Amino acid sequence: MAIERIGVVGAGQMGNGIAHVCAVAGYEVLLNDIDQNAIDKAMATIGKNLDRQVSREVITEAQKAEAMARIGTTQTLTDLGPTDLVIEAATERETVKQAIFEDLLPHLTPDTILTSNTSSISITRLASRTDRPEKFMGFHFMNPVPVMQLVELIRGIATDKDTFDACYGVVERLGKTAATAEDFPAFIVNRILMPMINEAVYALYEGVGSVQSIDTSLKLGANHPMGPLELADFIGLDTCLAIMNVLHDGLADTKYRPCPLLTKYVEAGWLGRKTERGFYDYRGETPVPTR
């Protein structure tokens, strides 16, 4: 399967990063979002991130211009029909993802591969709602996409070898490393990472330590580049909660029960960096712990 044209659904943090790396690797990219403001913001972010790569001599000014020229945008989802590979990077809600694939299906070529950047939802279940479960798989990038080297490739129960090989080839062309995961809730990275974050929230909830002491302990005691609560804010507390709920529901084990304090922060709308408040308050010059 020759892949040259890639459609990206969703121009948010993940979608713009995926469009960025695909364009730099020489793919023709069509970036879709229902919100023109989100598209405009995404293109500005891509330009800024490419400038950063130019300043670090990762790419040249000419390569930046070529990459930007390869990215087209559209508010019309069905425009992605003629692409060879679709990477869905919309909100982490299964009903939203299902609706996107249902709208796309009548407009796709017979050979178009469908993938989802979901961090936790069943690939087999998403695939079963399409007309091509054998040409469907999980394509999970890490955030921030231009920096992080890993991509999790997740086969659904029906995914065929040609589809897997084609997606593996894309990861190689992007200059990233593929890790193959089985289709179980949250796959590999989030199956291990999210319970650690959830446990850090429990440690805060139970008064074992403050925000500052918990993050400092993991940074200096486990040599993590970022503390777990700082990382949760970076990911988005709503996303963390959604993944914990998928783990709890999918594996039926109480060890994955989301911490009530995590739920409370999400209910308050304190979702982390994107809302300027989470476990830290980002509205001043430097982040200040909120507990």
Side-chain angles (χ1 to χ4, degrees), residues 120 193-206 236-267 279:
S120 60
L193 175 64
M194 285 304 158
M196 183 196 77
I197 287 175
N198 195 52
E199 196 61 31
V201 183
Y202 266 114
L204 179 65
Y205 177 62
E206 294 169 3
L237 304 193
D238 53 339
T239 301
C240 295
L241 179 60
I243 295 169
M244 287 308 302
N245 280 324
V246 166
L247 281 166
H248 191 231
D249 295 344
L251 298 170
D253 191 326
T254 55
K255 74 179 180 180
Y256 298 114
R257 184 172 72 97
C259 178
L261 184 60
L262 178 60
T263 303
K264 191 65 67 182
Y265 268 74
V266 173
E267 287 174 347
F279 292 114

Side-chain angles (χ1 to χ4, degrees), residues 43-113:
M43 292 305 293
T45 299
I46 292 168
K48 186 172 66 177
N49 289 338
L50 286 168
D51 283 336
R52 187 178 291 120
Q53 289 183 316
V54 170
S55 69
R56 293 175 180 171
E57 299 183 350
V58 176
I59 61 172
T60 65
E61 192 68 49
Q63 287 172 316
K64 177 209 165 180
E66 288 164 4
M68 289 296 287
R70 290 190 194 105
I71 303 174
T73 64
T74 180
Q75 286 182 266
T76 306
L77 180 65
T78 54
D79 287 349
L80 273 56
T83 58
D84 306 312
L85 168 68
V86 173
I87 304 174
E88 171 274 313
T91 305
E92 189 70 354
R93 288 207 300 274
E94 189 165 349
T95 52
V96 172
K97 295 178 185 297
Q98 285 175 348
I100 287 166
F101 291 126
E102 284 170 12
D103 288 347
L104 263 176
L105 289 177
H107 305 275
L108 299 174
T109 73
D111 295 325
T112 301
I113 294 172

Side-chain angles (χ1 to χ4, degrees), residues 8-247:
V8 180
V9 183
Q13 194 172 33
M14 296 304 294
N16 76 60
I18 294 166
H20 170 151
V21 297
C22 290
V24 169
Y27 292 104
E28 294 297 322
V29 179
L30 187 55
L31 178 61
N32 161 259
D33 201 286
I34 56 172
D35 182 358
Q36 185 61 45
N37 288 335
I39 292 172
D40 294 341
K41 186 178 177 184
M43 292 305 293
T45 299
I46 292 168
K48 186 172 66 177
N49 289 338
L50 286 168
D51 283 336
R52 187 178 291 120
Q53 289 183 316
V54 170
S55 69
R56 293 175 180 171
E57 299 183 350
V58 176
I59 61 172
T60 65
E61 192 68 49
Q63 287 172 316
K64 177 209 165 180
E66 288 164 4
M68 289 296 287
R70 290 190 194 105
I71 303 174
T73 64
T74 180
Q75 286 182 266
T76 306
L77 180 65
T78 54
D79 287 349
L80 273 56
T83 58
D84 306 312
L85 168 68
V86 173
I87 304 174
E88 171 274 313
T91 305
E92 189 70 354
R93 288 207 300 274
E94 189 165 349
T95 52
V96 172
K97 295 178 185 297
Q98 285 175 348
I100 287 166
F101 291 126
E102 284 170 12
D103 288 347
L104 263 176
L105 289 177
H107 305 275
L108 299 174
T109 73
D111 295 325
T112 301
I113 294 172
L114 290 176
T115 67
S116 177
N117 184 58
T118 178
S119 52
S120 60
I121 297 167
S122 168
I123 297 303
T124 298
R125 196 163 61 239
L126 286 173
S128 72
R129 300 288 294 270
T130 74
D131 63 354
R132 60 194 70 206
E134 72 287 349
K135 285 183 166 54
F136 193 109
M137 66 182 298
F139 210 132
H140 182 217
F141 289 85
M142 305 295 125
N143 184 32
V145 179
V147 175
M148 301 294 279
Q149 289 301 301
L150 183 72
V151 179
E152 286 182 315
L153 290 179
I154 306 100
R155 287 188 183 95
I157 197 169
T159 306
D160 65 25
K161 185 177 184 300
D162 287 345
T163 298
F164 177 83
D165 290 346
C167 290
Y168 193 95
V170 172
V171 176
E172 287 192 320
R173 183 164 157 182
L174 296 179
K176 296 189 181 294
T177 300
T180 307
E182 293 303 313
D183 186 23
F184 289 100
F187 319 130
I188 296 172
V189 173
N190 284 317
R191 171 76 176 263
I192 297 166
L193 175 64
M194 285 304 158
M196 183 196 77
I197 287 175
N198 195 52
E199 196 61 31
V201 183
Y202 266 114
L204 179 65
Y205 177 62
E206 294 169 3
V208 178
S210 65
V211 169
Q212 197 77 58
S213 60
I214 291 167
D215 276 353
T216 299
S217 295
L218 268 292
K219 281 193 283 190
L220 302 184
N223 203 28
H224 290 189
M226 195 181 288
L229 300 175
E230 183 186 1
L231 179 57
D233 276 357
F234 180 75
I235 293 166
L237 304 193
D238 53 339
T239 301
C240 295
L241 179 60
I243 295 169
M244 287 308 302
N245 280 324
V246 166
L247 281 166

